[in-house]
Each structure stands twice: as structure tokens, then as C-alpha cells.
Amino acid sequence: MREKTPLTNLHVFWINLRERPVRRAAMIALLTSLGASHTRIEAVGKDEVAHLLASHALHLLDGISMGIPSARSPVRRRDGVFSSAEVGCTLSHLRAIDAAWRMGVDQALVMEDDVSNASLLYTQADTDLPCSPAVPA
């Protein structure tokens, strides 16, 4: 039985592309060794983004387009142009948030399979969680 800690209710949702089995194995090993409750989220890849757009299941808002972004800082996208990888990344995170909501977890940590210092991020999350916004009941 898992020791009761401030992280007992924290569930980790980690994003992984199907074609990245080495990263998947590393995340499973790491999170298992930490005793973390976790769920793998299938990442939305470029092909899925293209399919969602072609099937009209995904609509870009006015002023937003896909293409090759400018050389400007990716943090401040004023040109409204996003790569399919950026759209896929955003959709992957939304998929993780949706999974957390559907599972009804009390606390969730969303990370990608290439996160640096995942163990540090997980073990110190109890100090960061009080600063996180609460989900209304």
C-alpha cells in the first residue's frame, strides 16, 4: 500500500506519441519507481491534426492559421500562425485535462514524456499545489 503523503491524491497524466516506445518505457519505469498514480495520454500527432482539420472536427478561429511559424519568439505568437506540432501539443494537453476531469481526480499533474527532472517535479509538487487554481466542485 502506498504511503500517505501530500501527493497521495496527485495523479500524473503523461503525454506520449505512439511511435516513442523508449520514452514510454522510461516514463513507466520512473513513475512506477516513485509510486505515482499515472495515466498515459496518446499524443495528438501531425497526421491526426491533418485528419481533424480535413474532417472538419477541428476548426481554427478567425485570425489563426497553420503553416511554418515566423522566427519570432514562440511564446508570443502575434502572427497567428502555428505549426501542426504546436496544434497537436495543445490538443494533447487538452486531452489530458479532459481525462483528468472524466476520471474525477482531486489533483492532476500533466507532463510530456520528455520532461526534464520528472522525479523532482513530482516529489516537489506538494509545495506547488497550494498555488494552483482549484477546480470548482
Side-chain angles (χ1 to χ4, degrees):
M1 180 162 191
R2 196 167 144 199
E3 179 186 335
K4 192 88 168 157
T5 70
L7 297 175
T8 300
N9 294 324
L10 180 66
H11 191 92
V12 178
F13 293 86
W14 52 281
I15 299 166
N16 169 257
L17 283 164
R18 180 180 303 120
E19 57 270 12
R20 301 281 191 202
V22 173
R23 288 183 179 181
R24 180 173 30 257
M27 286 298 290
I28 291 170
L30 172 67
L31 293 169
T32 300
S33 74
L34 292 170
S37 172
H38 63 94
T39 301
R40 177 185 172 270
I41 301 297
E42 178 73 31
V44 178
K46 295 175 188 178
D47 291 341
E48 188 174 353
V49 170
H51 173 73
L52 289 169
L53 287 168
S55 66
H56 302 290
L58 174 66
H59 303 276
L60 299 177
L61 298 175
D62 288 340
I64 303 291
S65 63
M66 287 184 46
I68 300 172
S70 69
R72 285 187 262 174
S73 168
V75 175
R76 301 182 82 182
R77 284 254 185 254
R78 293 181 189 223
D79 57 6
V81 179
F82 297 84
S83 70
S84 58
E86 290 169 319
V87 172
C89 181
T90 301
L91 291 174
S92 298
H93 283 261
L94 290 172
R95 187 178 275 176
I97 293 166
D98 181 63
W101 181 80
R102 289 177 187 274
M103 288 175 63
V105 299
D106 293 330
Q107 300 171 331
L109 175 63
V110 177
M111 63 176 71
E112 297 178 21
D113 62 5
D114 62 349
V115 65
S116 298
N117 298 317
S119 60
L120 180 65
L121 182 63
Y122 177 77
T123 57
Q124 292 190 349
D126 59 333
T127 59
D128 296 331
L129 285 172
C131 301
S132 302
V135 176

